[in-house]
Every structure is written in C-alpha cells, then in structure tokens.
Amino acid sequence: MWAEIIESFQDDRTLWLATLEALLQAEHSDDLRRYLAGSQAQGRRGLAALLLGTPEDEVGDTATRTLGAAQMALFTGLMTQWLTDPDQAADASEIVAGLRALTDIVDAHE
C-alpha cells in the first residue's frame, strides 16, 4: 500500500501540491475549511477501510478515528517529505520498518 501511495506522490505531484496549497488557503476561507474537513473525514474512513479490507460504509467511527486518523497522519507527513525532498524521503519498506519499531516501543511501555 505504501509503495502505491509513494508512487502517487511521484506521478500526481501537482495534485498533492495543490492539496497542500488548499490547506493553506483554508485559513482564509471558512467554506474551504469546511470542505477540506469533510474530505479529511472521508479520507480517514477510506484509509481505514483499505487497511481493514472492508467497504467504507462498514467502517465504524472508532476505526475511523484511530486507524484512519493514524494513517492520515502518516500519509500527510510522508507526502510533505516526498514533495520537498524525494531523494531523502523514506520508501515503503522503511515506513513499514518504522511502524514496527514504533509498535515495539509502545508495547515496551505498556
């Protein structure tokens, strides 16, 4: 999944740059902010559905606000890294290794 997302950052660079520009413009437009907030909610649900292998309309609020939100945060952060410095940005295997390392750290502190 991460390899496909990274490929999208490369293939659809203009789209992702426009997304970031829209986020900045939303600071000046309540209508745009509301639109983007709705889009982000759909994105969280969609990412959770993708990971769970479940249709979006079957994804519950908890999965959307946990799994979906965490994936959205990773997605957005990785997008900014790929758009600003693709030569140094992590690839899919490094992202997965990082997630595993985070899991080990969290498990060790529980």
Side-chain angles (χ1 to χ4, degrees):
M1 177 187 87
W2 283 110
E4 290 176 14
I5 289 170
I6 290 168
E7 185 176 324
S8 171
F9 297 153
Q10 296 167 320
D11 293 346
D12 299 318
R13 180 178 174 82
T14 304
L15 167 72
W16 298 117
L17 286 169
T19 300
L20 291 176
E21 287 180 22
L23 289 170
L24 293 172
Q25 290 302 313
E27 184 65 24
H28 309 289
S29 169
D30 290 338
D31 289 340
L32 181 56
R33 185 180 302 120
R34 280 190 294 276
Y35 174 79
L36 291 175
S39 296
Q40 285 185 355
Q42 289 177 325
R44 288 188 293 270
R45 188 171 302 278
L47 286 169
L50 180 66
L51 289 168
L52 295 169
T54 303
E56 282 187 41
D57 61 351
E58 295 178 18
V59 175
D61 290 341
T62 300
T64 298
R65 292 190 53 80
T66 56
L67 181 60
Q71 283 297 104
M72 180 70 74
L74 289 168
F75 181 96
T76 305
L78 188 58
M79 176 180 59
T80 61
Q81 291 179 52
W82 269 91
L83 292 175
T84 56
D85 189 5
D87 293 333
Q88 297 299 313
D91 65 21
S93 64
E94 291 168 323
I95 293 300
V96 172
L99 289 169
R100 288 187 177 121
L102 282 171
T103 300
D104 291 345
I105 291 168
V106 169
D107 288 346
H109 288 92
E110 288 185 354

